[in-house]
Amino acid sequence: MSKHLGKASIKFLNKIYIIATASIVGPKEGEGPLSDYFDVVLEDMKAGETSWEKAESKIVKDTLELAVKKSGLNINNIDYVIAGDLLNQSTGSTFGVISLEVPFFGIYGACSNMGEGMSLGSILIDGDFAENILVGASSHFCTAERQFRFPLELGNQRPLTATWTVTGDGAVVLSQKGSKEFPHVSGITTGRIIEMGIKDQNNMGAAMAPAAVDTLLNHFKDFNRTPDYYDLIITGDLGYVGKKLVLKLMKSEGYDLSKNYSDCGIEIFDEKKQDTHSGGSGCACSAVTFSGYLYKKLLKKEINKLLFIPTGALLSPTSVLQGESIPGIAHAIVIENEV
Amino acid sequence: MSKHLGKASIKFLNKIYIIATASIVGPKEGEGPLSDYFDVVLEDMKAGETSWEKAESKIVKDTLELAVKKSGLNINNIDYVIAGDLLNQSTGSTFGVISLEVPFFGIYGACSNMGEGMSLGSILIDGDFAENILVGASSHFCTAERQFRFPLELGNQRPLTATWTVTGDGAVVLSQKGSKEFPHVSGITTGRIIEMGIKDQNNMGAAMAPAAVDTLLNHFKDFNRTPDYYDLIITGDLGYVGKKLVLKLMKSEGYDLSKNYSDCGIEIFDEKKQDTHSGGSGCACSAVTFSGYLYKKLLKKEINKLLFIPTGALLSPTSVLQGESIPGIAHAIVIENEV
């Protein structure tokens, strides 16, 4: 008999403790409403490096090291590192992870990376394959813009459906050993790739919303739960446009999410003051919002049952140019406090 | 007490049966020495599609579906699909996997993808999180050349250290249920990212060889084995240049691999007739050599103990242009017959 639950879920037998988190963000995120929750706010986008890509790798390295330090463990206690980013061939993670010298699983789920990483990390720990796992996900506004859209120097106008790629890295240390002081992962629902014909790469919220809905529906069915089980249900980076679609689509399926649903892309920037249009996006959007903000709310027991659903848009500039639509994926993580 | 062994390994408690494999390759691979072992040899590089990228996704889809069909299972019996490729944002896998509608973990370990996927799949099954897993890895000569090197139309001369990206996809179905008829995964050693200063993207063998050596050393130490435990030790895509380096570096560490070591990049093409210089490479190199050739040797009990080590070079065109060296990674899978 498998621990697999329903169509797409796993209910863990053991508590996978989140014993530490770390978050480093860029200047713009430091001006947003969650500023005080982040460990480090960078003063410049290059983080002292000579290119944005090198900066992203530096942020990855520093965040992962900081998470280990905050956990009280030594890097030698970490059995595996799991990390991913948006750059071609995931070089943000690669060059950030080298110096750690720990067995490494590279992942790619676009901006859902934090969800995929925490899923695989929890599986490794629950199955007794590892004692401690380090998971991180990063993105950088400048590396993402020039890779996916236009050279920044062009000063292109952004449509109102566009989101703003978050600069930063969020990391968590998952552990077999913990106490009720720490929140723990109790289950996951793994996303399927969902594609509904959206072709506008400036409307990622609409492209990813159906994937979030698919995962939410599978989750509630597999766990036999309703939305009110959770204090907060929060998707990764759907922004205002995507949130609206999720609310509507879920309502048509008979689920009312109006009371306890938000999106990390909405939480991280100030809608009126920061001019980010539909909100924040990028792997770091959900990663730093969780590692910074949500984790501290969990520690303070202000949230006790959280459904965290990083969302990803699985496009490439080439796939868009070749006329493909933009598929999405969303991985749900159940994080609870022992009460 | 963790199932983790030593620094980087896991010894599985259960047998993870490889109940089926499938392989689809391009025309050039069909002219090579392993031709008869592949399920399908394509007649054209576009596989009936309008672009090379669409062709790669088509090959992914067809290979994954064929593997499920050959296993006697239905796609509904597959709990997770794990897949990866070399394209920016892994679109080869994304667009190939959509129609399967199965929970999906996307991975990125460059040409080590088949090793990473089989590792994670085996973990999911051994830990009783899944009953059946579908793992695949793909690459395509034309999509890779134009993305990593030069437009094909340029007709650039390739240096003798260069390898030839294999076109194709190799897939395996891993299962909790099987019999001694089938080979099984009994352990894994997970790679660390290793970087030794190689900056020549036309010499991937040299860039990846130190990672293969690191994994081999960890493997022999963690499992307390010597090379003669195996009938065959085979790396992913080091080619002639990389194989020579592995033999030399391992010898300097006190391990003689001269009797039972080869590389998939050497097996897949004919050195004299096919003009591929240092040999084959790409995710599909190890994936189709395993799924086609090695798996059948295992079924016939011509090989009973195999150490399969897909190798990956974690570069991107941007990282190369920014003067970064090329890091490598290698994931080892122990595949054995019950005797």
Side-chain angles (χ1 to χ4, degrees), chain A residues 1 3 106 116 127-128 322, chain B residues 1 3 53 106 116 127-128 322:
Chain A
M1 194 56 205
K3 292 167 200 165
E116 181 175 345
D128 202 23
Q322 293 189 356
Chain B
M1 194 56 205
K3 293 167 199 164
E53 288 74 16
E116 181 175 345
D128 201 22
Q322 293 189 355

Side-chain angles (χ1 to χ4, degrees), chain A residues 5-7 9 215-226 255:
Chain A
L5 206 67
K7 198 184 225 166
S9 302
T215 299
L216 280 164
L217 293 176
N218 285 337
H219 179 77
F220 292 134
K221 206 170 167 187
D222 291 349
F223 281 87
N224 194 23
R225 287 178 189 165
T226 47
Y255 291 92

Side-chain angles (χ1 to χ4, degrees), chain A:
Chain A
M1 194 56 205
S2 166
K3 292 167 200 165
H4 205 70
L5 206 67
K7 198 184 225 166
S9 302
I10 293 171
K11 195 172 178 178
F12 294 116
L13 296 182
N14 306 292
K15 289 183 178 68
I16 294 104
Y17 293 100
I18 307 174
I19 60 167
T21 66
S23 52
I24 298 181
V25 298
K28 192 178 181 84
E29 291 70 25
E31 290 162 7
L34 305 185
S35 184
D36 292 345
Y37 291 94
F38 302 125
D39 293 309
V40 179
V41 176
L42 294 169
E43 282 176 25
D44 82 300
M45 293 294 275
K46 284 202 177 150
E49 298 292 318
T50 53
S51 76
W52 295 320
E53 288 74 16
K54 286 178 201 278
E56 183 167 343
S57 291
K58 175 76 160 49
I59 295 170
V60 171
K61 178 178 181 286
D62 290 350
T63 310
L64 292 174
E65 286 178 352
L66 183 58
V68 176
K69 193 180 164 194
K70 286 174 76 181
S71 74
L73 298 173
N74 185 291
I75 191 68
N76 297 324
N77 305 126
I78 303 292
D79 298 307
Y80 297 94
V81 173
I82 304 173
D85 60 276
L86 290 174
L87 292 186
N88 296 342
Q89 290 71 58
S90 303
T91 50
S93 305
T94 300
F95 290 97
V97 163
I98 292 179
S99 64
L100 301 180
E101 300 184 346
V102 172
F104 175 66
F105 290 119
I107 54 172
Y108 189 77
C111 307
S112 74
N113 277 333
M114 197 63 180
E116 181 175 345
M118 288 176 75
S119 297
L120 292 170
S122 299
I123 286 164
L124 276 155
I125 288 181
D126 189 59
D128 202 23
F129 300 106
E131 285 177 27
N132 304 296
I133 304 254
L134 182 57
V135 180
S138 68
S139 53
H140 190 296
F141 176 78
C142 303
T143 65
E145 281 299 310
R146 77 162 157 196
Q147 180 179 280
F148 287 105
R149 296 182 189 93
F150 296 103
L152 280 171
E153 295 81 353
L154 207 59
N156 253 56
Q157 199 170 0
R158 308 166 61 248
L160 288 172
T161 51
T163 46
W164 190 277
T165 304
V166 169
T167 301
D169 186 277
V172 302
V173 178
L174 303 175
S175 183
Q176 274 190 333
K177 288 173 197 144
S179 67
K180 37 197 275 190
E181 182 193 339
F182 300 108
H184 63 274
V185 178
S186 63
I188 59 171
T189 300
T190 301
R192 307 185 295 173
I193 303 178
I194 304 290
E195 182 267 296
M196 299 288 277
I198 303 287
K199 293 193 174 192
D200 179 2
Q201 62 174 325
N202 277 305
N203 193 352
M204 300 294 198
M208 295 186 285
V213 168
D214 187 67
T215 299
L216 280 164
L217 293 176
N218 285 337
H219 179 77
F220 292 134
K221 206 170 167 187
D222 291 349
F223 281 87
N224 194 23
R225 287 178 189 165
T226 47
D228 59 7
Y229 180 86
Y230 294 101
D231 298 325
L232 179 65
I233 296 167
I234 191 160
T235 44
D237 58 347
L238 303 181
Y240 293 96
V241 174
K243 182 189 171 180
K244 216 166 152 179
L245 285 169
V246 166
L247 282 170
K248 195 173 171 180
L249 289 167
M250 288 303 288
K251 199 172 177 187
S252 74
E253 296 282 346
Y255 291 92
D256 178 14
L257 259 59
S258 63
K259 292 189 194 71
N260 57 348
Y261 167 59
S262 188
D263 182 78
C264 297
I266 290 174
E267 302 291 334
I268 196 164
F269 292 123
D270 186 301
E271 190 184 7
K272 284 169 192 157
K273 291 182 197 155
Q274 292 195 286
D275 195 28
T276 54
H277 298 345
S278 186
S281 62
C283 306
C285 182
S286 57
V288 304
T289 300
F290 178 77
S291 303
Y293 177 59
L294 297 168
Y295 183 68
K296 278 154 205 171
K297 298 279 251 184
L298 283 156
L299 282 182
K300 287 185 194 159
K301 320 290 178 194
E302 290 170 20
I303 298 174
N304 288 311
K305 288 180 196 297
L306 175 71
L307 188 62
F308 175 52
I309 314 163
T311 35
L314 302 167
L315 78 165
S316 81
T318 305
S319 72
V320 171
L321 287 172
Q322 293 189 356
E324 304 276 13
S325 58
I326 302 173
I329 195 162
H331 299 296
I333 319 286
V334 184
I335 300 156
E336 306 191 59
N337 275 320
E338 209 170 330
V339 279

Side-chain angles (χ1 to χ4, degrees), chain B residues 40-101:
Chain B
V40 179
V41 176
L42 295 169
E43 282 177 25
D44 81 300
M45 292 294 273
K46 285 203 179 149
E49 298 292 317
T50 54
S51 76
W52 294 320
E53 288 74 16
K54 286 178 202 279
E56 184 167 343
S57 291
K58 174 76 161 51
I59 295 169
V60 170
K61 177 178 182 286
D62 290 350
T63 310
L64 292 174
E65 286 178 352
L66 183 58
V68 176
K69 192 180 165 194
K70 287 174 75 181
S71 74
L73 298 174
N74 183 291
I75 190 67
N76 297 324
N77 304 126
I78 303 294
D79 298 307
Y80 298 94
V81 173
I82 305 173
D85 60 277
L86 289 175
L87 292 186
N88 295 344
Q89 290 72 56
S90 302
T91 50
S93 305
T94 300
F95 291 97
V97 163
I98 292 181
S99 63
L100 302 180
E101 299 184 348

